[in-house]
Amino acid sequence: MTVRRDFKEPARCRPDQVIGREELFTAAREQLGRGGSVLLHGPAGIGKSTVLRALAGEYGGAARTVLRCSPTESESHLPFLALADLLGLVLDEVSDRLPTAQLTALEAALTGRGESTLQRDGLALRLAVLSALRALADAGPVLVVADDLQWLDPASAELLGFAARRLGDTPVRMLCAVRTEGEEYDRHLRASPPDTLAVRLGPLSRAQLSALLENRGFTGLPRSTVRDIHRTSGGNALFALELGRALAENATPPRPGEPLPVPTSLRALVLNRLEMLSDQARRTLLVASAGARPTLALLHAAGRDNAEAETAQAAELGLLATEPEGPAVRFAHPMISAALYAEAPAQERRAAHAALSTAAFDPIERARHLALATTGTDPEVAARLAEAATLARDRGAPSVAAQLSLLAARHTPADGTPNPDVVRLTAVEDAITAGELDLARDIAREVLARTAVPAERVRAWIAVIETAGHAMTEVDSIFPQALADAGEDPELLALVHYQLTWRALLVEGDFDEAREEAGYAAELAARAGDRYTELLALALKAQIETLMGHSDAPATIRRALEEPQDPRVACHHNGAGYSRFRWLIMSDQLPEARAVVTALLREVRRHGWVESEVHFLRGVAETELHSGHCGRALDLARESLRLARDTGIGEVASAVLTSLAEAAGGEVDIALALAREAVEHAEEVGDQMYVSRALAALGHAQLVAGDTEAAVRSLRRVREVEQGLGITDPARGRWHGDLAEALVRCGELAEAQDVIDVTRELALRLDRESVLAVLDRAEALVRAARGQRDAALVQLTSAQDRLGKLGYGLEEARAAFALARLHTATAGPASYDEAARLFRRCRALPWLRQVEAATALPAPEAPPAPAAAPPGLDGLASMERQVAALVMEGATNREIAARLYISVKTVEATLTRVYRKLGIRSRVDIVRLAAERRTT
């Protein structure tokens, strides 16, 4: 097909069309933008055509002519068919530009008349294609779009390759896609222009595949199901979408341990070679597909005596990718294994699992196969599965433990001990630990619909509450039901009151109430002998007291660390270890804090406790950020955010921290977007604690971006929210110095000093040295704005030295930057060297850009000392008088901003207030006032 320059594409490329391919798409886009060509390659269904269409849609409008072909396998034997698609509609346009011999040969090839062949008209036909492309390019850029190059008929492929290699600087770009396995794209690359960029499309990650499924309408799939789709499809987009469609059409979802339903379309695609296998070889492959890690030794142990010959036959047919010397039996694609299993009769599947239940080497695997080989309830099978779940839990595989517990519940008799619902609740707790919150919620709801036992109901209610995360307003109605089910039982009441502590924090924003609830929960748990819940409640109480700046916090932490300890609490994100980390980091003990949280992270990763991993990743990132290791902090924060979004755990908290890390060492625009997203989400769920945290991150990003007025608005709101919550420890959010600095830039010196004075009193009481040093840095800016330059220099020098000794690298660099701006009045741009060195050491890229911008400005003069207000300016604030006085001297807004250490936006806003107060309209009126003053 040929597309002329007046062709209108139906729609621009949507970002969702290239989900998971953003980097590859950008590289291809840049290559096309430079006038180069692109060859997309990868296996069937991986998404090549989608990316090709998106790129063609984006660049088709820039080309005068778009030539398209998309051959199919059934057409590949027809000579010149692809050439006809490409050039058939433009032949009339170029015919008068071709020599007669070339035109005759090309017309014969395109129309099938005249019996043109490459053998008879070889050179003329080759030159005709090259000449036609050059003629089209003379009128404007040409884009050749060819999908499925592997089906290109050989004659067209040869002609296209001949022309491509000789186009040179002719403005003809080629955008092609070809199906390949491994790296087998060389021959297609040789047939492309010399500057062609080969882009391989690999499998999608689980998160990318999840986004693709959501985008295509397969919403609400449990995380465990998405994981199974990803594993079965091998990350192949086409296979994943077909599996999603099969699930949507299947009224009964697969039970735990069962494979996904494989649609007929995919079975036909991957199993068309099975008919050539013997029955015995097919049964051997069925056993291999049922095994987790099939090997020849395992197949022999499962009774497949001729496994070597049968797997060799399957490998020859392309079903297996088994290496001759290797012990593993590996399918060429996971979909082959899934389709083979789905195709087998239920009786044959059970027989395969029965054989593996004794042949498998791992006890967990043996128990799983035993369950899948057994129908109905069986106490012995249930007991084996429960043991396997315990083993998986101990190995740090809570997701596997959850699946095994669900299988155990299925095989547990109704009158068994424990009963099936108790076993299901164990699966719930494992699923929560693994971060599979949707699975946990579904099982808990199922238990609530089945049981009337108070203890089981309370455990299920607690699970539903925990899966809500920070969105506790969504489950607010559950608490009265849980309390009613708990009755007078102190152990059950302790569980509910522990959750009520979180409700008081996240929904009510009441620290006093939360502290009382935590203390009461600890007391109830102690009375019931429930050490686990007692330790959790004490640790939470300690965190609350730390945030409140309460004097009891150290004593409560010590109580929470007393023996006997419960190993499940020791590494829990709400346990005493994390409470101690928070105390250390707020007390400026950065090396100790890093050691504690790094050890916690290592331990939860060993156990597979995903929710705690998300929290501890943030803790390590926060420590690195305070220490001025901005690059390391940014990498960790991004990892935490990816994991949070993948699991649905702590997304707001991770977005807040990643915003701070981006503002320190990444991109300020990303920092702003993340902070706004976090504010919006926290407000939606009514989480006041994280509303304040998100606003603090937003205000900081706005300050770094130079939007001072917006920063003041955001940080004033933080001050109001935290005063309402009762948060008094300034080391919790560390936003106070930013607010004071932003207020100075806006000319609100009195309010800035008030923020400093109030915060300093709290920081002195709690011995927060780093906060005091940052406040001194901010106060120096106040003094500089008031003309007290010498005092400001002394205070800034002291603040920089103290922050450096405490290990706050980025804050030290910010103090050096402020000091440099004061020094530039005499020292010139070279005085920024120290600030640049410190920011470079921190890898604080946004701040380095600010240094570069500052050195590009003319050296500002020192701020004018306060003087008697010129006549007519008495009613103005200090900053307003200084700005007006500089306007009277003829200074531009940019010069005023440089001399007063404020942004140009702040100058403009200040002038607006001056005009309003003086009843004038413009700078000219201020100059007129100055002239009147000189003449009187």
Side-chain angles (χ1 to χ4, degrees):
M1 181 192 297
T2 305
V3 183
R4 305 291 177 83
R5 63 172 175 265
D6 58 350
F7 175 79
K8 301 293 184 183
E9 288 284 359
R12 296 287 288 171
C13 164
R14 303 191 315 276
D16 59 42
Q17 288 181 302
V18 289
I19 289 170
R21 312 296 188 192
E22 290 79 7
E23 291 186 13
L24 299 178
F25 189 82
T26 300
R29 173 194 288 158
E30 291 174 353
Q31 172 75 356
L32 291 169
R34 292 190 293 266
S37 297
V38 172
L39 175 66
L40 306 171
H41 65 99
I46 205 68
K48 303 180 298 299
S49 297
T50 299
V51 176
L52 180 131
R53 285 193 298 270
L55 288 167
E58 183 161 335
Y59 282 92
R64 191 255 179 191
T65 306
V66 178
L67 308 176
R68 297 176 186 267
C69 72
S70 184
T72 64
E73 184 176 10
S74 61
E75 301 168 347
S76 59
H77 66 285
L78 299 174
F80 304 122
L81 192 61
L83 186 68
D85 285 341
L86 290 169
L87 298 178
L89 297 181
V90 293
L91 183 59
D92 290 344
E93 185 177 339
V94 299
S95 58
D96 60 344
R97 305 279 302 277
L98 302 182
T100 302
Q102 293 181 23
L103 179 59
T104 301
L106 185 57
E107 285 179 334
L110 296 182
T111 62
R113 296 189 296 271
E115 298 181 357
S116 175
T117 67
L118 279 174
Q119 287 74 24
R120 192 179 64 127
D121 303 318
L123 183 58
L125 189 51
R126 292 180 178 93
L127 292 175
V129 173
L130 179 60
S131 299
L133 290 173
R134 285 174 173 163
L136 290 170
D138 286 343
V142 176
L143 177 64
V144 178
V145 181
D147 198 2
D148 282 321
L149 279 186
Q150 73 277 3
W151 305 133
L152 204 66
D153 64 90
S156 297
E158 204 282 338
L159 292 169
L160 199 57
F162 176 88
R165 293 189 295 272
R166 290 164 175 78
L167 285 168
D169 295 332
T170 306
V172 176
R173 290 173 291 178
M174 295 184 68
L175 173 59
C176 305
V178 60
R179 182 188 301 180
T180 58
E181 297 295 338
E183 300 295 322
E184 302 164 0
Y185 62 92
D186 291 349
R187 67 185 180 89
H188 299 287
L189 193 60
R190 287 194 295 271
S192 304
D195 64 346
T196 298
L197 172 69
V199 177
R200 176 165 178 77
L201 276 67
L204 294 173
S205 70
R206 188 192 302 175
Q208 292 164 347
L209 189 142
S210 177
L212 176 65
L213 290 167
E214 289 274 342
N215 177 261
R216 298 301 175 88
F218 302 115
T219 57
L221 291 175
R223 181 170 172 261
S224 55
T225 301
V226 173
R227 181 192 60 210
D228 290 342
I229 292 176
H230 182 259
R231 183 183 65 247
T232 303
S233 68
N236 184 290
L238 172 64
F239 293 173
L241 290 171
E242 288 296 316
L243 288 168
R245 187 171 293 109
L247 280 168
E249 294 171 353
N250 192 348
T252 305
R255 293 184 297 181
E258 290 186 342
L260 296 176
V262 179
T264 305
S265 58
L266 290 185
R267 294 188 197 183
L269 178 65
V270 299
L271 297 180
N272 56 358
R273 282 166 287 188
L274 275 177
E275 295 178 358
M276 301 176 67
L277 285 175
S278 67
D279 289 343
Q280 292 301 317
R282 186 175 180 132
R283 289 194 180 94
T284 295
L285 290 194
L286 175 61
V287 174
S289 71
R293 294 175 295 275
T295 62
L296 290 172
L298 178 66
L299 293 176
H300 278 296
R304 308 312 302 169
D305 297 333
N306 296 319
E308 285 89 350
E310 289 160 354
T311 55
Q313 181 189 6
E316 289 176 4
L317 293 172
L319 294 166
L320 295 180
T322 305
E323 297 178 4
E325 304 299 326
V329 175
R330 184 167 58 86
F331 283 89
H333 191 280
M335 185 59 68
I336 297 175
S337 173
L340 175 64
Y341 188 94
E343 188 78 4
Q347 185 176 353
E348 289 187 13
R349 291 189 210 169
R350 287 196 295 272
H353 287 297
L356 289 168
S357 69
T358 57
F361 305 107
D362 186 88
I364 292 176
E365 193 65 16
R366 287 199 299 271
R368 174 180 167 274
H369 287 302
L370 179 62
L372 295 174
T374 306
T375 57
T377 60
D378 187 320
E380 183 180 344
V381 172
R384 289 270 301 276
L385 286 164
E387 291 171 5
T390 300
L391 182 58
R393 204 173 295 119
D394 292 341
R395 288 182 181 177
S399 179
V400 175
Q403 295 295 334
L404 290 167
S405 292
L406 284 177
L407 285 170
R410 201 169 99 198
H411 291 286
T412 300
D415 57 353
T417 304
N419 69 51
D421 287 327
V422 171
V423 179
R424 289 186 182 92
L425 288 169
T426 303
V428 167
E429 290 158 3
D430 284 325
I432 290 174
T433 301
E436 298 188 6
L437 303 185
D438 44 8
L439 175 63
R441 188 183 304 111
D442 291 344
I443 304 169
R445 292 287 187 186
E446 180 184 349
V447 170
L448 286 166
R450 297 162 59 102
T451 185
V453 179
E456 294 170 7
R457 292 187 62 78
V458 170
R459 284 179 66 187
W461 286 128
I462 297 301
V464 174
I465 292 168
E466 288 186 348
T467 59
H470 288 273
M472 294 195 80
T473 51
E474 298 177 4
V475 293
D476 212 26
S477 61
I478 286 175
F479 287 100
Q481 300 175 68
L483 285 169
D485 282 331
E488 300 297 324
D489 188 324
E491 184 174 3
L492 299 180
L493 285 171
L495 296 174
V496 180
H497 281 281
Y498 177 73
Q499 295 298 331
L500 283 168
T501 306
W502 286 107
R503 181 185 179 279
L505 285 174
L506 302 179
V507 179
E508 300 297 334
D510 189 330
F511 275 53
D512 289 320
E513 182 186 344
R515 180 172 177 266
E516 287 183 16
E517 287 284 3
Y520 186 43
E523 179 187 328
L524 287 166
R527 194 189 313 165
D530 180 1
R531 185 62 172 162
Y532 173 79
T533 304
E534 181 188 6
L535 289 172
L536 279 178
L538 285 171
L540 182 53
K541 184 183 179 188
Q543 287 198 48
I544 295 166
E545 289 173 344
T546 299
L547 294 174
M548 295 173 71
H550 200 286
S551 58
D552 287 352
T556 306
I557 291 175
R558 284 194 295 273
R559 279 185 64 198
L561 290 170
E562 288 175 358
E563 295 294 339
Q565 284 292 312
D566 187 307
R568 295 171 296 168
V569 181
C571 296
H572 196 279
H573 55 277
N574 289 323
Y578 195 63
S579 297
R580 180 166 176 258
F581 160 72
R582 293 246 54 92
W583 176 260
L584 288 169
I585 201 168
M586 293 172 70
S587 302
D588 301 323
Q589 300 178 58
L590 297 182
E592 295 88 344
R594 181 186 291 107
V596 168
V597 75
T598 302
L600 289 170
L601 178 61
R602 185 167 53 246
E603 190 65 15
V604 299
R605 280 178 165 168
R606 186 175 72 84
H607 287 289
W609 297 341
V610 177
E611 185 172 6
S612 293
E613 181 181 356
V614 174
H615 284 75
F616 297 155
L617 267 173
R618 286 201 304 269
V620 179
E622 182 182 353
T623 310
E624 298 296 350
L625 192 59
H626 286 322
S627 302
H629 305 149
C630 299
R632 170 75 172 147
L634 184 57
D635 290 342
L636 288 163
R638 287 172 174 170
E639 183 182 354
S640 169
L641 184 58
R642 282 194 298 270
L643 187 57
R645 285 178 169 166
D646 189 29
T647 60
I649 296 171
E651 293 182 68
V652 173
S654 292
V656 166
L657 184 64
T658 309
S659 171
L660 292 171
E662 289 283 359
E667 297 295 334
V668 180
D669 288 345
I670 297 176
L672 289 166
L674 285 170
R676 290 187 180 110
E677 172 191 322
V679 171
E680 182 180 352
H681 190 69
E683 288 177 336
E684 279 179 5
V685 301
D687 185 344
Q688 289 302 299
M689 280 182 62
Y690 270 98
V691 166
S692 72
R693 294 292 295 271
L695 284 168
L698 178 59
H700 177 75
Q702 289 165 333
L703 181 66
V704 176
D707 193 350
T708 311
E709 289 81 3
V712 167
R713 288 194 297 272
S714 296
L715 296 172
R716 277 174 175 163
R717 279 191 64 196
V718 177
R719 194 181 190 192
E720 293 170 5
V721 171
E722 293 203 352
Q723 284 174 347
L725 289 172
I727 297 174
T728 58
D729 193 332
R732 182 255 186 181
R734 299 179 182 269
W735 48 265
H736 313 76
D738 283 346
L739 175 55
E741 182 175 337
L743 287 166
V744 170
R745 293 188 191 180
C746 289
E748 303 291 347
L749 303 185
E751 185 181 349
Q753 190 63 55
D754 177 67
V755 170
I756 293 166
D757 292 341
V758 171
T759 309
R760 180 179 282 135
E761 182 179 348
L762 296 170
L764 284 167
R765 178 172 65 82
L766 296 168
D767 195 25
R768 302 301 192 224
E769 283 296 325
S770 62
V771 174
L772 290 167
V774 168
L775 292 173
D776 280 353
R777 185 185 69 203
E779 190 171 52
L781 300 179
V782 176
R783 287 179 168 173
R786 287 174 172 165
Q788 301 167 16
R789 183 173 176 275
D790 291 340
L793 287 171
V794 170
Q795 195 167 20
L796 271 176
T797 302
S798 171
Q800 180 185 344
D801 181 62
R802 286 151 57 204
L803 288 165
K805 289 177 178 176
L806 288 168
Y808 287 79
L810 183 58
E811 299 296 349
E812 176 192 5
R814 287 180 63 180
F817 188 28
L819 195 59
R821 299 193 70 170
L822 280 182
H823 275 305
T824 48
T826 55
S831 63
Y832 286 97
D833 288 351
E834 173 70 0
R837 182 185 69 81
L838 291 173
F839 282 135
R840 200 173 294 113
R841 183 182 70 184
C842 295
R843 217 194 86 175
L845 303 181
W847 292 98
L848 274 171
R849 288 191 279 270
Q850 289 197 34
V851 172
E852 292 168 2
T855 56
L857 291 172
E861 299 176 10
L873 305 187
D874 303 279
L876 300 180
S878 172
M879 179 63 74
E880 293 166 350
R881 287 199 302 272
Q882 292 183 60
V883 170
L886 289 170
V887 170
M888 289 177 174
E889 294 176 12
T892 66
N893 286 1
R894 188 176 178 83
E895 291 168 342
I896 294 169
R899 291 176 66 177
L900 297 182
Y901 312 108
I902 58 179
S903 67
V904 174
K905 282 187 176 181
T906 301
V907 174
E908 293 168 351
T910 304
L911 280 173
T912 300
R913 293 196 297 273
V914 169
Y915 299 156
R916 185 174 64 251
K917 289 183 179 181
L918 298 181
I920 59 180
R921 295 185 176 183
S922 67
R923 297 169 61 95
V924 174
D925 293 332
I926 295 181
V927 175
R928 179 177 51 75
L929 286 176
E932 290 173 356
R933 184 181 64 183
R934 286 194 292 270
T935 57
T936 56

